């Protein structure tokens, strides 16, 4: 038995925001996280978002707006996303199972705010901004600030996440997304890394973006590592240094835990590998 | 067939949907999953109830042409949806099994059988995407279905066998008009 007392499926955003204004309803997107967690946690009123057409991907001159209800499967096959946001596409492909990817949404992954959410590190590398709409207001919050803690965000009870706006990176940028887990499929991330290397014409790294999931209490950019990489030429030694720095940051921020003796060398090696993969251009150029 | 406990406190929602090619118009309880409604509301017990948290795939159904876990869908969400379960897979009014079912039988892919309906539905969903999947594509499509009798090799072989025999008309009825 799911603890649902009321179910509403509005056909327009206006109607949905009117219902949400009461502050009593839980927005239901794919439900792949929400429905299993709606057992035995007290009564809920569900607001089904599937009638709002929030699953579209729109390209503007400078950015790409992904509807919050786009499913992971749609992110894997959408021509705009796979071309301009390959990290997001790859991250989405590694989520859960086929059945979960067919149903689970980008907005749900972000609002659920699990520290190991796969799409979040990819979004951070694209300076993604969450668009939050309520009956009387509309605001934009960077995804990095939107997620305030493990399973916590700054969304209000009357607000709806309608889309996420991503900035494509300047060319040429080499990217890589690596996920570490116990097995290949149906896998909760132990660690995930999204890497972008923006190259200058002479083979040096002009700038870098490196985001980590399941490493810190909240997924975040590792700007310390990005600064280390900027202006340097790609080399095994540089990437090893970057890995070591990332491991240091993790221990400093997340503290020494039972998993630290494992995670410290593994994070260092994984980042080194992700950087090497990106630099090789094998993963894909954006 | 067991009906839901009807009490004044259980809200219901009117929905119309197609199940295995037949149109239904029903009032469904808002606090039931599609899985529970299929089994206890309509008596379609072919869709199995395993983990109920979207991990095991035993409840996989075709939902507007794609594989979904029925345990992660609320019954009122099915309004307007085209659903296929294992009961609708074999050709109606004919003897015999669907080529996917036949291949599972022949290749020894059915052991205790609990996971089989879910595997069959995931396999049909895969064929709706690609008629000649590679072994890797098969693995990815079936990763959300668990078999505790360790029959994966036989299951992969069965999917390969089914792919080699499939004709257009074996998939026609599963193609959703909504996609």
């Amino acid at each position: 038995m799911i603890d649902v007392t009321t179910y509403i499926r509005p056909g327009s955003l206006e109607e949905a925001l009117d219902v949400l204004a009461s502050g009593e309803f839980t927005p239901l997107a794919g439900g792949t996280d929400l429905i299993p967690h709606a057992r035995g946690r007290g009564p809920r009123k569900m607001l089904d978002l599937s009638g709002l057409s929030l699953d579209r991907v729109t390209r503007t001159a400078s950015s790409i707006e992904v509807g919050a209800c786009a499913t992971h499967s749609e992110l894997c096959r959408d021509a705009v996303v796979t071309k301009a946001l390959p990290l997001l596409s790859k991250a989405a492909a590694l989520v859960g199972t086929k059945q979960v990817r067919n149903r689970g949404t980008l907005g749900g992954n972000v609002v659920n705010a699990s520290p190991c959410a796969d799409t979040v590190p990819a979004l951070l590398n694209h300076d993604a901004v969450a668009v939050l709409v309520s009956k009387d207001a509309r605001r934009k919050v960077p995804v990095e600030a939107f997620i305030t803690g493990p399973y916590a965000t700054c969304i209000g009870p009357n607000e709806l996440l309608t889309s996420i706006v991503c900035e494509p990176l300047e060319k040429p940028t080499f990217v890589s997304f690596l996920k570490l887990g116990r097995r290949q499929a149906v896998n909760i991330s132990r660690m995930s890394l999204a890497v972008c290397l923006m190259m200058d014409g002479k083979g040096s790294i002009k700038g870098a973006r490196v985001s980590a999931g399941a490493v810190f209490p909240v997924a975040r950019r590792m700007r310390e590592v990005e600064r280390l990489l900027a202006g340097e030429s790609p080399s095994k030694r540089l990437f090893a240094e970057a890995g070591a720095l990332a491991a240091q940051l993790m221990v400093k921020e997340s503290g020494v835990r039972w998993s630290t003796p494992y995670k410290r060398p593994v994070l260092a090696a994984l980042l080194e590998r992700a950087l090497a993969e990106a630099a090789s251009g094998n993963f894909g150029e954006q | 067939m067991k009906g839901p406990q009807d009490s004044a406190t259980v809200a219901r929602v009117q929905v119309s949907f197609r199940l295995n090619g037949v149109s239904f118009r029903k009032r469904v309880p808002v606090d039931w999953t599609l899985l529970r409604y299929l089994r206890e509301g309509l008596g379609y017990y072919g869709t199995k109830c395993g983990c109920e948290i979207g991990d095991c795939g035993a409840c996989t159904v075709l939902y507007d042409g794609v594989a979904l876990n029925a345990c992660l869908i609320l019954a009122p969400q099915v309004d307007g949806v085209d659903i296929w379960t294992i009961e609708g897979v074999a050709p109606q009014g004919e003897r015999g099994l669907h080529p996917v079912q036949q291949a599972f039988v022949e290749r020894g892919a059915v052991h205790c059988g609990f996971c089989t309906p879910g595997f069959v539905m995931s396999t049909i969903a895969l064929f709706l995407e690609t008629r000649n999947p590679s072994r890797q594509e098969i693995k990815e499509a079936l990763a959300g279905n668990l078999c505790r009798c360790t029959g994966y090799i036989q299951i992969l072989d069965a999917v390969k066998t089914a792919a080699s025999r499939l004709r257009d008309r074996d998939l026609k009825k599963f193609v959703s008009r909504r996609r």
Side-chain angles (χ1 to χ4, degrees):
Chain A
M1 183 93 73
I2 308 289
D3 292 334
V4 178
T5 55
T6 306
Y7 168 91
I8 298 180
R9 182 175 180 268
S12 73
L13 185 60
E14 293 67 35
E15 205 185 318
L17 296 175
D18 275 342
V19 172
L20 264 190
S22 69
E24 293 174 359
F25 279 78
T26 306
L28 171 65
T32 53
D33 279 308
L34 183 55
I35 290 178
H37 290 115
R39 287 192 177 91
R41 306 266 175 104
R44 270 176 208 267
K45 296 180 175 180
M46 292 287 194
L47 177 72
D48 187 346
L49 306 181
S50 64
L52 306 182
S53 303
L54 292 178
D55 55 353
R56 313 242 161 97
V57 177
T58 344
R59 179 163 211 159
T60 64
S62 61
S63 61
I64 292 159
E65 184 162 15
V66 185
C69 290
T71 65
H72 294 94
S73 291
E74 282 158 358
L75 299 178
C76 296
R77 65 171 175 252
D78 183 89
V80 173
V81 176
T82 48
K83 191 153 190 297
L85 307 170
L87 286 175
L88 184 59
S89 194
K90 170 81 187 227
L94 294 174
V95 167
T97 65
K98 184 81 183 172
Q99 291 94 321
V100 166
R101 289 192 295 278
N102 283 340
R103 189 72 169 167
T105 66
L106 178 65
N109 202 227
V110 171
V111 172
N112 190 48
S114 161
C116 56
D118 286 314
T119 60
V120 174
L123 290 175
L124 296 180
N125 273 20
H126 286 291
D127 279 338
V129 173
V131 179
L132 302 172
V133 184
S134 64
K135 194 169 182 238
D136 315 301
R138 177 190 165 91
R139 62 183 176 128
K140 290 182 160 190
V141 183
V143 169
E144 203 166 11
F146 177 72
I147 300 175
T148 54
Y151 303 99
T153 71
C154 68
I155 198 166
N158 60 344
E159 279 182 316
L160 198 61
L161 171 67
T162 54
S163 68
I164 292 175
V165 180
C166 296
E167 304 297 327
L169 296 163
E170 56 186 291
K171 291 177 181 185
T173 295
F174 294 107
V175 301
S176 171
F177 186 92
L178 288 185
K179 167 169 167 170
L180 180 79
R182 279 187 170 171
R183 51 187 176 183
Q184 280 190 3
V186 204
N187 194 354
I188 307 288
S189 286
R190 288 296 165 90
M191 251 176 228
S192 59
L193 290 172
V195 168
C196 299
L197 297 176
M198 285 82 92
M199 309 303 288
D200 68 11
K202 295 166 204 143
S204 290
I205 301 166
K206 199 159 74 177
R209 293 194 184 171
V210 180
S211 298
V215 167
F216 304 103
V218 175
R220 74 162 175 89
R221 291 263 296 273
M222 294 194 283
R223 291 192 172 76
E224 303 85 340
V225 175
E226 294 173 2
R227 278 196 292 272
L228 175 85
L229 294 165
E232 303 289 330
S233 297
S235 72
K236 195 169 166 22
R237 200 169 129 197
L238 176 69
F239 295 161
E241 251 178 78
L245 177 57
Q248 238 177 50
L249 292 170
M250 174 185 69
V251 175
K252 196 172 132 197
E253 213 167 296
S254 303
V256 175
R257 309 168 61 181
W258 63 270
S259 57
T260 304
Y262 168 77
K263 273 195 156 183
R264 186 162 29 195
V266 168
L267 173 61
L270 199 68
L271 180 55
E272 192 181 336
R273 195 182 301 168
L275 289 166
E277 189 178 88
S280 74
N282 286 340
F283 186 88
E285 182 186 339
Q286 175 172 328
Chain B
M1 206 188 303
K2 202 163 47 173
Q5 306 109 5
D6 225 331
S7 73
T9 57
V10 178
R12 281 168 177 266
V13 170
Q14 176 90 47
V15 291
S16 300
F17 57 95
R18 279 167 72 83
L19 175 60
N20 298 333
V22 179
S23 295
F24 284 81
R25 197 172 153 78
K26 295 278 182 187
R27 288 176 59 77
V28 299
V30 297
D31 59 347
W32 281 29
T33 60
L34 170 60
L35 173 62
R36 186 173 179 193
Y37 187 69
L38 285 172
R39 291 172 59 83
E40 297 175 32
L42 298 174
Y44 284 71
Y45 288 97
T47 304
K48 298 294 181 255
C49 177
C51 69
E52 285 196 275
I53 55 170
D55 273 343
C56 77
C59 66
T60 303
V61 296
L62 268 188
Y63 195 90
D64 281 339
V66 300
L68 290 186
N69 296 312
C71 72
L72 297 180
I73 298 164
L74 289 180
Q77 292 187 283
V78 303
D79 193 39
V81 175
D82 189 9
I83 303 163
W84 288 86
T85 65
I86 192 69
E87 286 90 346
V89 170
Q92 302 295 301
E94 288 176 41
R95 290 161 64 94
L97 298 172
H98 186 274
V100 172
Q101 293 171 306
Q102 188 63 39
F104 268 64
V105 171
E106 286 174 25
R107 302 309 296 254
V110 181
H111 288 229
C112 85
F114 189 83
C115 70
T116 311
F119 269 104
V120 169
M121 301 321 289
S122 284
T123 303
I124 292 171
L126 169 65
F127 286 147
L128 289 172
E129 275 183 24
T130 168
R131 284 285 290 278
N132 201 5
S134 66
R135 217 163 167 88
Q136 185 57 34
E137 285 173 318
I138 299 171
K139 282 185 179 177
E140 277 168 23
L142 300 184
N145 293 81
L146 304 186
C147 166
R148 297 307 304 269
C149 306
T150 66
Y152 293 108
I153 301 293
Q154 292 90 325
I155 290 168
L156 294 177
D157 290 343
V159 176
K160 273 284 183 199
T161 300
S164 70
R165 294 176 183 167
L166 218 54
R167 300 152 304 176
D168 288 340
R169 64 183 169 111
D170 297 322
L171 292 176
K172 202 175 162 212
K173 67 179 174 184
F174 303 114
V175 176
S176 171
R177 291 165 304 173
R178 302 217 314 166
R179 282 186 196 247

